[in-house]
Amino acid sequence: MTDASDDSTPAVVTDGFTKRFGSVTAVDGLELTVPAGSVYGLLGPNGAGKSTTIDALVGLVHATEGTVRVLGMDVRTSPVKIRRRTGILPDGFTPYERLTGREHLNAAARANRVTIDTDEALARVGLADAADRTAGGYSHGMTQRLGLAMALVGAPDLLVLDEPAAGLDPHGIELLRRIVREEHARGATVMLSTHQLAQVEAVCDTVGIIDDGRLVAEDSAETLRRTVETEATLRVRPTGSIDRARELLRDLNSVTGVTADDGVLIVQCDAEQETASVIAALERSDVALESYEKSLPGLEQVFEAYTDEQ
């Protein structure tokens, strides 16, 4: 594999990508650019066009109109070259029941024309003890881990993960996040398609939101939060009288609510940018603060604001 971090060419570019299935338009003129070396989270409600877009990247479907380029190559003319530089964990990955985990990894290595240490590869995803068990006896979570291990074979330049956390327990989810971070640090581009917003918030540096087959928003999760007019929360712990602090906060125009919980005031502000003025007002008063913590609007609120999931 090449070192993706040395290539300024975007990992994925769709130019007017449209895909129709009969009278149904699954993707409608999608303009998407995934920078090389990024961790890109692709979000959207069911039926938004995420899976069709992922399928187009790996050559399972072709554009009705427009073009799709992966690692600088057109998916129509260079499917084999793209496949050898791309690792894919498809949604609903199903292994061959009669093959062991080790046999799956060996088959993936042969397909990619690479040599791997299967024990090391399976240990990385927590399947060392199940290497020689047939996959038909794997749990759903173990199956996902096996699919992830196969996607990682050959250190791909682009790693495409479609609903990778499905079936994983908390330990499996933490392992997934660690592997995504390790692949990013190696220089790979990771594209994560999911409806689990917590996974995107944990690892992605860029978020794209698709609705009705179109890209409706794209930026960092932090920046997208700031585009949505939602309340922010402050947790304030005063050193003195909590009643005095609560009285002062209730008089501020930017505060929409104040409640107390075990010595901590939970303050609702009408916008994220107003939290700074609340803290400044407290510091100007005779209320001393032991600590305070700001909680920004969740990505779920951002998602709802940009889609029809109201």
Side-chain angles (χ1 to χ4, degrees):
M1 298 292 172
T2 60
D3 184 353
S5 62
D6 292 336
D7 191 354
S8 59
T9 301
V12 173
V13 177
T14 68
D15 183 6
F17 170 50
T18 297
K19 180 60 183 178
R20 300 188 188 94
F21 297 95
S23 61
V24 176
T25 301
V27 182
D28 187 9
L30 183 65
E31 302 286 342
L32 181 70
T33 300
V34 178
S38 65
V39 182
Y40 190 101
L42 188 64
L43 293 175
N46 291 335
K50 300 191 307 300
S51 293
T52 301
T53 300
I54 294 298
D55 287 347
L57 301 184
V58 296
L60 294 180
V61 302
H62 291 301
T64 307
E65 297 174 11
T67 59
V68 178
R69 298 183 68 82
V70 176
L71 301 171
M73 297 173 281
D74 191 303
V75 295
R76 284 185 178 272
T77 59
S78 304
V80 176
K81 290 181 180 179
I82 290 171
R83 183 64 190 87
R84 288 177 180 162
R85 294 177 58 190
T86 304
I88 172 73
L89 172 58
D91 185 20
F93 165 71
T94 303
Y96 294 97
E97 293 188 356
R98 296 185 179 181
L99 296 185
T100 65
R102 187 186 306 280
E103 288 170 332
H104 277 86
L105 266 291
N106 286 334
R110 287 194 299 271
N112 285 282
R113 299 182 179 180
V114 297
T115 301
I116 64 169
D117 183 330
T118 53
D119 288 321
E120 180 180 316
L122 289 166
R124 188 183 183 193
V125 297
L127 289 177
D129 294 338
D132 296 308
R133 288 171 50 187
T134 56
Y138 281 10
S139 67
H140 191 178
M142 293 170 69
T143 296
Q144 284 293 97
R145 290 170 184 249
L146 176 61
L148 178 60
M150 294 176 68
L152 293 167
V153 166
D157 295 329
L158 173 63
L159 185 61
V160 180
L161 307 176
D162 196 359
E163 298 294 352
L168 294 181
D169 61 19
H171 292 295
I173 289 173
E174 183 53 40
L175 179 144
L176 169 67
R177 293 176 180 178
R178 183 173 72 247
I179 287 175
V180 168
R181 294 184 184 111
E182 290 170 353
E183 291 299 293
H184 179 228
R186 177 176 65 79
T189 305
V190 183
M191 190 169 181
L192 185 72
S193 175
T194 183
H195 69 279
Q196 298 187 17
L197 305 185
Q199 308 315 321
V200 172
E201 288 193 284
V203 297
C204 295
D205 49 52
T206 306
V207 178
I209 300 177
I210 289 182
D211 194 28
D212 292 330
R214 293 178 175 272
L215 187 70
V216 295
E218 183 183 59
D219 216 314
S220 68
E222 177 72 17
T223 301
L224 287 176
R225 285 192 187 99
R226 297 181 188 279
T227 67
V228 178
E229 294 184 1
T230 53
E231 288 189 338
T233 303
L234 277 172
R235 296 178 62 87
V236 177
R237 184 182 293 276
T239 57
S241 169
I242 195 169
D243 292 333
R244 173 74 182 99
R246 179 161 45 187
E247 179 182 345
L248 187 149
L249 288 166
R250 283 176 172 169
D251 289 338
L252 297 178
N253 292 332
S254 56
V255 171
T256 59
V258 183
T259 57
D261 180 21
D262 193 25
V264 174
L265 291 174
I266 302 170
V267 187
Q268 299 298 132
C269 302
D270 58 12
E272 188 274 330
Q273 59 266 30
E274 297 296 342
T275 57
S277 64
V278 171
I279 294 300
L282 287 171
E283 291 176 341
R284 287 194 302 267
S285 72
D286 57 358
V287 176
L289 300 181
E290 179 180 326
S291 64
Y292 64 87
E293 178 181 312
K294 179 170 62 176
S295 175
L296 292 174
L299 192 55
E300 181 174 357
Q301 293 167 286
V302 177
F303 179 76
E304 291 177 349
Y306 280 103
T307 69
D308 296 329
E309 297 286 294
Q310 301 292 345

